[in-house]
Amino acid sequence: GCVGCVWVVCDELRKATKGDGKLLQEVPTRWNSTFYMLERFICLKQIVNDIVHRHISAPDMVSAKEVQDISDVIDILRPVEAATKELCAQKYATTSMVIPMVYILQKTIKEFQPKQEMGLQLKSAIIVQCDKRFSSVESCSLLGMATILDPRFKKLYFKDTVALSKMLRYISNDIKQTQTMSSSESSSDTDNTSMNIQFTILYKINL
């Protein structure tokens, strides 16, 4: 029967890939599982095609057009998957990476040119959702200041000049407020040190 044939095909796939190849099944609660499922299929499509064509009762192999559709979907979703993985990392702070990652994500997707109508529709839908969900990300003071103070990014990934000016003003005001509080309790040497620190930070941000 069909079920038995599927097991035979799976066994042949395992042998053909020396145990390293296995088709993946998506998990409804994890969007990236669909990405991994499609990506694995494209990697093994030639082997799967050869095996399927040796069994008359096997399920139909996807067409060349459908393979191209899947390839477009994978290429569009790849930067989304990369951004998700990076921002969900637990071993290091990622606050300063949000704005740069959003910038790179949107830029990469907009520059990609799908070959099929399905890819064009998916690209358009993702761009709309990105614009909707990330439109005010640069205005978030926590994310904005963290990005500017990170020497890897500074002002490089800001598209909104108004939001950037606001973040720079926040940082400058915070430094001045800290300096004022310190000067009321410190010696003149410490005051000079605070002023030097303030100057150094502002200078490095504007490099």
Side-chain angles (χ1 to χ4, degrees), residues 27-79:
V27 179
T29 55
R30 296 180 58 200
W31 80 265
N32 52 357
S33 68
T34 303
F35 170 82
Y36 297 134
M37 177 185 70
L38 296 175
E39 186 179 50
R40 177 64 61 84
F41 173 76
I42 291 298
C43 288
L44 299 175
K45 71 178 186 299
Q46 191 57 57
I47 298 175
V48 172
N49 183 68
D50 293 342
I51 294 173
V52 165
H53 279 82
R54 290 202 297 269
H55 298 273
I56 29 181
S57 57
D60 292 335
M61 182 62 178
V62 298
S63 66
K65 180 187 180 303
E66 290 170 331
V67 168
Q68 187 58 66
D69 284 339
I70 294 172
S71 297
D72 273 356
V73 169
I74 291 172
D75 288 338
I76 293 169
L77 292 181
R78 183 170 284 115

Side-chain angles (χ1 to χ4, degrees), residues 18-205:
K18 299 179 180 180
D20 294 331
K22 179 183 177 182
L23 294 176
L24 303 178
Q25 181 64 46
E26 65 178 342
V27 179
T29 55
R30 296 180 58 200
W31 80 265
N32 52 357
S33 68
T34 303
F35 170 82
Y36 297 134
M37 177 185 70
L38 296 175
E39 186 179 50
R40 177 64 61 84
F41 173 76
I42 291 298
C43 288
L44 299 175
K45 71 178 186 299
Q46 191 57 57
I47 298 175
V48 172
N49 183 68
D50 293 342
I51 294 173
V52 165
H53 279 82
R54 290 202 297 269
H55 298 273
I56 29 181
S57 57
D60 292 335
M61 182 62 178
V62 298
S63 66
K65 180 187 180 303
E66 290 170 331
V67 168
Q68 187 58 66
D69 284 339
I70 294 172
S71 297
D72 273 356
V73 169
I74 291 172
D75 288 338
I76 293 169
L77 292 181
R78 183 170 284 115
V80 181
E81 187 275 337
T84 301
K85 183 183 292 185
E86 188 69 35
L87 293 177
C88 289
Q90 299 297 316
K91 295 182 179 179
Y92 48 88
T94 56
T95 305
S96 65
M97 298 179 66
V98 174
I99 290 175
M101 290 297 290
V102 168
Y103 176 93
I104 294 170
L105 172 64
Q106 292 179 301
K107 183 174 185 292
T108 303
I109 292 175
K110 287 178 180 178
E111 290 178 350
F112 177 67
Q113 298 299 324
K115 297 180 177 65
Q116 301 293 327
E117 180 62 28
M118 178 184 290
L120 291 169
Q121 292 176 2
L122 178 60
K123 173 184 175 179
S124 177
I126 291 180
I127 289 174
V128 168
Q129 288 301 315
C130 283
D131 290 342
K132 176 182 177 181
R133 297 172 186 275
F134 301 134
S135 60
S136 60
V137 68
E138 294 179 20
S139 298
C140 175
S141 57
L142 178 63
L143 299 179
M145 289 192 289
T147 302
I148 291 171
L149 293 173
D150 190 319
R152 298 171 297 175
F153 309 131
K154 299 182 182 179
K155 303 181 292 183
L156 186 60
Y157 294 102
F158 278 83
K159 294 183 293 183
D160 186 342
T161 55
V162 175
L164 174 59
S165 297
K166 187 182 296 184
M167 295 305 124
L168 291 172
R169 189 163 60 251
Y170 285 161
I171 293 171
S172 178
N173 290 340
D174 281 351
I175 293 174
K176 289 177 182 177
Q177 184 177 2
T178 302
Q179 179 189 352
T180 301
M181 293 173 62
S182 299
S183 64
S184 63
E185 303 172 357
S186 307
S187 64
S188 58
D189 288 341
T190 304
D191 290 346
N192 290 332
T193 301
S194 298
M195 291 180 67
N196 289 335
I197 292 174
Q198 176 187 356
F199 175 79
T200 301
I201 293 175
L202 293 177
Y203 172 75
K204 287 184 176 180
I205 289 173

